[in-house]
Amino acid sequence: MSVSALFKELFQNLNQQRLRSFLTIFGIMWGTATLILLLAFGMGFRDQTVLNMRGMGDQLAIMFGGQTTKPFEGYGIGRPIRYREADAQVLEDQIPAIDVATPEYMRSLVVKNGEKRRNSSIGGVYPVYQELRNTFEQKGGRWLNQRDLDERRRVIFLGNNLAANLFGEEDPVGKRVMVSNTPFVVIGVMQEKVQNSSYNQRDEDRAFIPATTFSAMMGKDIVNNILYVPKNPDIAPSIQDEVYKVMGKKHRFDPADKDAIGIWDTNEFWSFINIMFLGINGFLGLIGFFTLAVGGIGVANIMFVVVQERMKEIGIRRAAGARRHHIMIQFFLETFMIVGIGAAAGYLIGWGLVLSMQNIPIKEFVGTPYFSPEVGLIAFAVLGIVGLASGFLPAWRASRLDVVECLRK
């Protein structure tokens, strides 16, 4: 039987039993649309969570000072460990696996523009801080540069929310603000970014000045924390061990004393995120699979009925010389055609549902679902499995029918 004849016969059979055909195809269509929608939501949620975390920085670790809890080389417990700027360079020099390390000063100060004032966490940082923390400037402004540090310039970079509170709709670049009664020139405003975590204050409400200016202005050389980025995030735990050894030797504390310094390594969260979303997307995919499997069971049941109704046709074809595998292939193809029609409709409906949810009001939390090639391939693979499972037994039964019994029908 030719492919065109097979299609013609299939559509004739579907037309003869319209309600039954509709319900069968609807089961596959609904299962396919559900699977696509669930996987699209899973992908969107994953990407939004990653985007939120990128507000803190990529593969970043933050070191904070702590207190010793173990005696070491004659020193007692409870001794505070504090960093200086040189400690960041020590980490870079002595731990080859660290790509870059930089110190950060912080203090909460009043920032004023005329009568408008805000309490803000002021950071004294180096130019490399921008890349580590994704604090990029809006058009028309700039970030801190090396000359700002060398000359200890009184320049300031504002978070976008802080700039809006102080200047409203006015462009703040080039204007002056007072920081603890000291004038600073605004050189830039941060681009808006999503940030769901911080270790002091959200960057949108912060301001940044050259580290050298901060140190001279505050009269201090004790930094609040040190940021570092590993060359290979996969070995972040072993880098932490090296950090404790290097800092323990420099500041005279036991490297096994984990309370002497605190390390917030965001690489640990990235590892957790990968595992978590593998589980979430797997669970959503499993729900979609079972929904689609119900439709597949419906197709299998219908095909068993079709085999029963067409026993005489099967007997005539076998008597005319058709072999078992010819009968089996015919019913397999009919099953895949039914699944294919339902799948095509399900793809279109699922795609339409995904597009209709692009502007959901809570996308900042759950993300925006999207139809990706990955989603399409997973759905295609599941449909293939469902088609094989629902078509095999009816096709096998049809190919094993006794020719004489079929001709008696």
Side-chain angles (χ1 to χ4, degrees):
M1 183 181 290
S2 65
V3 176
S4 59
L6 191 61
F7 268 103
K8 183 177 180 180
E9 184 176 344
L10 171 66
F11 285 112
Q12 286 177 347
N13 293 332
L14 292 177
N15 189 53
Q16 290 173 0
Q17 299 288 341
R18 294 180 183 178
L19 179 60
R20 186 179 72 183
S21 301
F22 170 77
L23 293 176
T24 305
I25 293 172
F26 181 81
I28 296 296
M29 179 184 69
W30 179 255
T32 303
T34 301
L35 177 64
I36 288 173
L37 188 60
L38 288 172
L39 290 176
F41 259 108
M43 296 294 179
F45 184 35
R46 181 197 64 185
D47 289 356
Q48 185 65 35
T49 303
V50 170
L51 178 63
N52 291 346
M53 277 302 298
R54 289 192 188 280
M56 268 289 297
D58 295 333
Q59 301 160 352
L60 183 68
I62 305 102
M63 293 170 47
F64 305 96
Q67 281 189 340
T68 59
T69 57
K70 296 181 180 181
F72 184 74
E73 294 183 351
Y75 292 95
I77 63 174
R79 182 167 54 91
I81 303 299
R82 298 293 179 263
Y83 309 125
R84 286 178 167 80
E85 290 192 30
D87 288 333
Q89 191 61 49
V90 169
L91 291 176
E92 282 192 17
D93 293 342
Q94 299 190 22
I95 306 178
I98 288 181
D99 185 35
V100 62
T102 186
E104 180 181 14
Y105 295 97
M106 279 192 298
R107 180 173 291 186
S108 182
L109 299 170
V110 175
V111 184
K112 295 192 298 183
N113 174 36
E115 297 300 318
K116 296 179 180 179
R117 52 188 292 156
R118 286 290 186 276
N119 284 318
S120 177
S121 174
I122 307 298
V125 298
Y126 282 78
V128 71
Y129 185 91
Q130 180 182 44
E131 297 291 335
L132 301 188
R133 291 291 322 283
N134 294 330
T135 53
F136 299 108
E137 70 275 8
Q138 294 180 14
K139 187 177 180 180
R142 67 173 179 86
W143 176 249
L144 307 172
N145 59 35
Q146 189 60 45
R147 190 171 177 181
D148 294 330
L149 273 85
D150 294 341
E151 298 179 6
R152 297 182 180 178
R153 291 176 172 177
R154 292 179 181 175
V155 293
I156 189 168
F157 183 90
L158 301 179
N160 53 294
N161 194 47
L162 177 60
N165 287 329
L166 293 175
F167 290 92
E169 297 297 326
E170 183 183 1
D171 184 5
V173 176
K175 306 293 193 304
R176 288 192 176 187
V177 295
M178 302 296 291
V179 179
S180 190
N181 296 319
T182 302
F184 278 78
V185 176
V186 179
I187 58 171
V189 177
M190 189 182 76
Q191 293 179 13
E192 184 177 355
K193 68 174 181 178
V194 179
Q195 183 181 352
N196 65 354
S197 60
S198 66
Y199 49 91
N200 184 270
Q201 189 178 24
R202 300 294 171 88
D203 292 340
E204 63 182 10
D205 296 312
R206 296 186 65 197
F208 305 93
I209 64 176
T212 51
T213 305
F214 188 103
S215 179
M217 180 177 171
M218 301 301 167
K220 60 179 288 188
D221 62 349
I222 302 295
V223 300
N224 292 76
N225 44 265
I226 294 175
L227 288 65
Y228 71 83
V229 174
K231 292 179 180 178
N232 182 0
D234 295 333
I235 59 172
S238 62
I239 293 177
Q240 282 193 33
D241 294 337
E242 290 297 317
V243 168
Y244 278 102
K245 290 178 183 177
V246 171
M247 289 291 101
K249 182 178 180 181
K250 188 173 188 301
H251 292 276
R252 301 295 181 88
F253 66 83
D254 188 343
D257 188 357
K258 302 304 180 182
D259 292 314
I261 60 176
I263 299 179
W264 178 16
D265 193 342
T266 61
N267 292 287
E268 296 174 355
F269 182 79
W270 289 114
S271 300
F272 171 74
I273 281 290
N274 291 332
I275 296 172
M276 182 181 75
F277 278 101
L278 182 63
I280 290 175
N281 289 332
F283 177 70
L284 293 176
L286 191 62
I287 294 174
F289 173 79
F290 282 125
T291 304
L292 195 52
V294 172
I297 292 172
V299 173
N301 288 333
I302 292 303
M303 292 308 298
F304 274 120
V305 173
V306 170
V307 170
Q308 194 69 26
E309 291 176 344
R310 294 166 60 184
M311 287 182 67
K312 189 171 184 178
E313 174 196 330
I314 294 170
I316 293 172
R317 290 196 62 203
R318 287 294 310 280
R323 297 191 177 184
R324 287 180 173 178
H325 70 270
H326 293 146
I327 303 298
M328 196 167 185
I329 290 172
Q330 178 186 348
F331 281 92
F332 243 133
L333 288 175
E334 289 187 14
T335 302
F336 271 101
M337 286 180 190
I338 293 173
V339 172
I341 293 171
Y347 263 90
L348 291 174
I349 293 173
W351 189 29
L353 289 172
V354 169
L355 290 177
S356 68
M357 294 184 178
Q358 295 300 298
N359 295 313
I360 54 176
I362 56 172
K363 62 182 180 180
E364 291 81 5
F365 305 100
V366 301
T368 302
Y370 65 94
F371 189 90
S372 67
E374 188 176 356
V375 169
L377 288 173
I378 292 174
F380 183 80
V382 172
L383 283 165
I385 294 171
V386 170
L388 285 171
S390 60
F392 176 76
L393 288 178
W396 184 84
R397 182 184 178 187
S399 68
R400 293 299 187 275
L401 289 173
D402 183 79
V403 177
V404 176
E405 291 296 324
C406 290
L407 292 174
R408 286 177 179 173
K409 296 292 182 178

